[in-house]
Amino acid sequence: MKTNNYDLLNPNTRAIVYGVQANAIQRMLNFDHACGRETPSLSAIVNENKAGYHKVFWGNEEIILPMYRTIERACSHHPEADVLINFASFRSAYRTSKAALEEDNIRTLVIIAEGVPERQSRELRRLAREKDKWILGPATVGGIVAGGFKIGNTGGTIENINESKLYRPGHVGFVSKSGGMSNEAYNIIARNSDGLYEGVAIGGDAFPGSTLFEHVVRYEHNPNIKMIVVLGEVGGSAEYQIAEAIKKGEIKKPVVAWVTGTCAKMFPASIQFGHAGAKADTSYETAEAKNKVLREAGAVVPESFDTFDKAIATTFKKLAESGKIPQLKESPPAPTPMDLPDAVAQGVVRRRTGFTTTITDDRGEEPLYCGIPISQVVERGMGIGDVIGLLWFKRRMPEFASDFIERVLVIAADHGPAVSGAHNTIVAARAGRDLVSALASGLLTIGPRFGGAVSGAAEMFKEALDNDMSPEAFIRKWKAKGVNIQGIGHRIKSIRNPDKRVELLKDYAREHFPETPYLDYALKVEQLTTKKKDNLILNVDGCIGILFLDLMNALGFSDKEIDDIVLDGGLNGLFVLGRTIGMIGHFIDQKRLKEGLYRHPWADILFALPEGEDLENGQLERIE
Ligand code: LMR
């Protein structure tokens, strides 16, 4: 249908929304898409707290709507928008509505807020009239041009919209005070005529920005509307103006009307029905009086709301029979893609997961550690060794195993400030870095030469013993390759200065493990290596890794499980976790001491740069 000047909204209308009403915004765009609009009905959003953009769906694509801090900026960037939908609260509705009316491009203003002071509503109406603009509201849900433009939440969900055929225009103009009742009316109109052309709810306040009468007049002039439906309400006098205009012949199109609130007479005194303006202070304002006057003027007024549908059906039928209703081309709405979470919830689609976990689940009332609720973990007195058993190895560990893990953490927790990890942590803390950065700096030093030989040692020794390699052959093999045996050797510990930590771990294993074949093998290797150099001892990383092989064997881990754990490098986690305790300690200590930036002393650095002569001798010539 051709649009005309009496359309407040049409399929090309663009709007600006004040307030990030994500659902209403998305519903507007879903409607546009269902109607086959070429461009989204929204140009921009105003969000006083944040400029930027807002992501929305347009069909099954994601698009962005620009977001501005002020109505002025949004309007100046989007002169194509001539509607402003104001979702401001009643406190700021006046200020923001006034700002919108000041903008030249805004022709229609919709005020959703309820409870705007009447004095302010009247002032806004005065301003709108002066500038020849329209206001819908305050306290309105908005309105809709079928197949063209939908304001905010009007018409409800896309399912309601499709049911009420609002995705394509019919020939009925509808105006009501109530937004909730207008959704019901759209459905009634769809079932008893060829459908809605335009419907607006003016809002339930006593001083609306535009009146029922003004919209009826607009519909009378709009050639696309062939029949008018009015749903009035107890209170106010706009219905009298409509009746008067019908009588005078100013409204010639058939009007089907009903004024709700006829039950008010059942109450002893004047009562207010929900809306601020729905209250009859005089008999003149009652629903009955207004229905009577409308009927007498020539409007089709049913006996009760129950037969409102029939009144619409008969009136429309008469019009259609007289040939006044052009034939409509029916085409179904474009399907609205479902949001994935809704589709999943309804079982319409299934999606492959991107992640798998077999250790924890926090979707219920409390997290589960490998299936055990944390309250039970606590109640059963499980310690950190047990928790590591559950989360790392998916096992309820026997007590000796959990205790062993805890012992490892205790002995690995720190080894003074001079070692790589602590040193880096200290330097970073003194450079003013935060805990996580300083800790990360320390953790990043853990590797084959420092603390990170646990897995490597387990791998090398496992391979050797599992293949019945003699300690001599084992040593020869790695020597031939020019590779250090992981877990062997220490910078300061030696046969004469044994590492107490290794002694403690060995003692524990001998006392509590059923057998220690890997440890026994490693000690034979140590006997040979220390003959060459007395610091080629089994070091702490090596001892942890090797004893973990014995532990996993004792606990009945399968070969595959042991191989996976060893080869994936997870055993280094034992040192990482233990040493994290110490590194955090160093961080806290440095901060507490208020230590300043660390600078390494020159005296401790050998400066061995090339001499001038070397340059002349051609040693630093450019390599071509
Ligand atoms: C440590 O656990 O940090 C030490 O074994 C390293 C060292 O050089 O003392």
Side-chain angles (χ1 to χ4, degrees), residues 510-525:
R510 288 207 178 100
E511 194 178 334
H512 296 96
F513 288 18
E515 49 178 6
T516 54
Y518 289 101
L519 175 65
D520 302 341
Y521 182 81
L523 293 177
K524 284 186 196 143
V525 172

Side-chain angles (χ1 to χ4, degrees), residues 6-324:
Y6 297 99
D7 288 327
L8 283 188
L9 316 160
N10 67 47
N12 301 315
T13 300
R14 308 291 304 274
I16 293 169
V17 170
Y18 177 96
V20 193
Q21 291 284 329
N23 285 342
I25 288 170
Q26 188 57 62
R27 284 180 175 175
M28 286 181 71
L29 300 176
N30 288 350
F31 172 78
D32 298 347
H33 191 259
C35 301
R37 266 188 74 124
E38 293 192 347
T39 44
S41 55
L42 290 178
S43 287
I45 297 174
V46 179
N47 177 359
E48 291 189 357
N49 297 322
K50 184 177 153 214
Y53 64 87
H54 176 71
K55 287 209 279 182
V56 286
F57 280 112
W58 174 247
N60 51 14
E61 262 175 55
E62 248 190 333
I63 58 169
I64 54 172
L65 289 176
M67 202 154 72
Y68 303 90
R69 276 183 193 269
T70 63
I71 290 175
E72 291 77 1
R73 273 188 84 74
C75 288
S76 73
H77 281 84
H78 297 279
E80 77 283 1
D82 67 355
V83 174
L84 189 129
I85 304 170
N86 191 354
F87 278 102
S89 73
F90 73 91
R91 279 177 227 96
S92 42
Y94 175 70
R95 170 179 62 82
T96 47
S97 295
K98 199 156 171 278
L101 290 172
E102 300 294 351
E103 294 299 324
D104 287 344
N105 49 319
I106 299 301
R107 186 173 156 240
T108 306
L109 168 68
V110 185
I111 309 172
I112 308 288
E114 255 186 80
V116 176
E118 288 174 356
R119 185 181 45 77
Q120 295 183 346
S121 300
R122 289 158 90 156
E123 175 56 19
L124 289 171
R125 178 169 161 86
R126 191 196 58 72
L127 211 70
R129 281 195 167 170
E130 192 181 286
K131 295 181 177 277
D132 198 18
K133 298 183 175 194
W134 283 85
I135 295 182
L136 288 179
T140 179
V141 67
I144 190 162
V145 164
F149 186 94
K150 167 175 125 78
I151 299 171
N153 288 313
T154 303
T157 61
I158 197 73
E159 291 79 15
N160 283 340
I161 285 171
N162 290 348
E163 277 290 305
S164 305
K165 300 212 165 144
L166 297 174
Y167 52 84
R168 56 98 179 115
H171 290 97
V172 178
F174 172 78
V175 59
S176 124
K177 290 192 96 170
S178 152
M181 285 303 286
S182 52
N183 280 3
E184 176 64 19
Y186 297 151
N187 192 18
I188 297 176
I189 291 169
R191 284 162 203 278
N192 295 285
S193 71
D194 72 349
L196 187 83
Y197 177 81
E198 178 189 320
V200 292
I202 61 162
D205 279 5
F207 296 99
S210 55
T211 66
L212 293 179
F213 175 64
E214 286 161 344
H215 290 284
V216 169
V217 171
R218 192 165 58 79
Y219 291 165
E220 171 67 20
H221 290 113
N222 190 330
N224 293 332
I225 291 176
K226 305 296 177 196
M227 167 180 153
I228 302 167
V229 177
V230 181
L231 201 54
E233 202 171 74
V234 56
S237 62
E239 293 87 345
Y240 285 97
Q241 289 174 288
I242 300 171
E244 200 53 34
I246 298 175
K247 260 206 282 189
K248 285 195 189 148
E250 287 163 12
I251 308 286
K252 296 188 194 60
K253 292 178 182 172
V255 175
V256 178
W258 177 251
V259 180
T260 61
T262 48
C263 63
K265 62 176 182 294
M266 298 169 74
F267 299 96
S270 126
I271 61 149
Q272 184 188 326
F273 287 82
H275 293 149
K279 177 169 176 285
D281 288 327
T282 62
S283 56
Y284 173 82
E285 287 185 321
T286 60
E288 271 163 341
K290 295 201 279 186
N291 276 327
K292 184 161 174 278
V293 165
L294 282 165
R295 195 177 290 123
E296 285 168 2
V300 181
V301 180
E303 280 311 309
S304 76
F305 185 75
D306 292 347
T307 48
F308 193 47
D309 54 349
K310 290 209 179 68
I312 294 172
T314 352
T315 312
F316 185 80
K317 195 158 171 255
K318 254 197 236 156
L319 266 180
E321 282 166 1
S322 66
K324 290 199 178 135

Side-chain angles (χ1 to χ4, degrees), residues 411-412 414-415 419-420 450-451 490-493 499 501 539-541 575 579:
I411 58 109
D414 194 42
H415 210 239
V419 305
S420 307
F450 171 69
H490 198 272
R491 289 296 289 264
I492 59 166
K493 296 292 174 189
D499 190 334
R501 299 169 298 175
N539 65 28
V540 72
D541 308 14
F575 185 89
R579 191 50 59 93

Side-chain angles (χ1 to χ4, degrees), residues 459-478:
E459 186 182 341
M460 284 182 164
F461 283 87
K462 181 173 188 308
E463 195 209 19
L465 188 61
D466 292 0
N467 291 305
D468 291 329
M469 203 181 275
S470 69
E472 290 80 3
F474 174 61
I475 294 169
R476 271 201 307 278
K477 171 181 165 178
W478 292 109

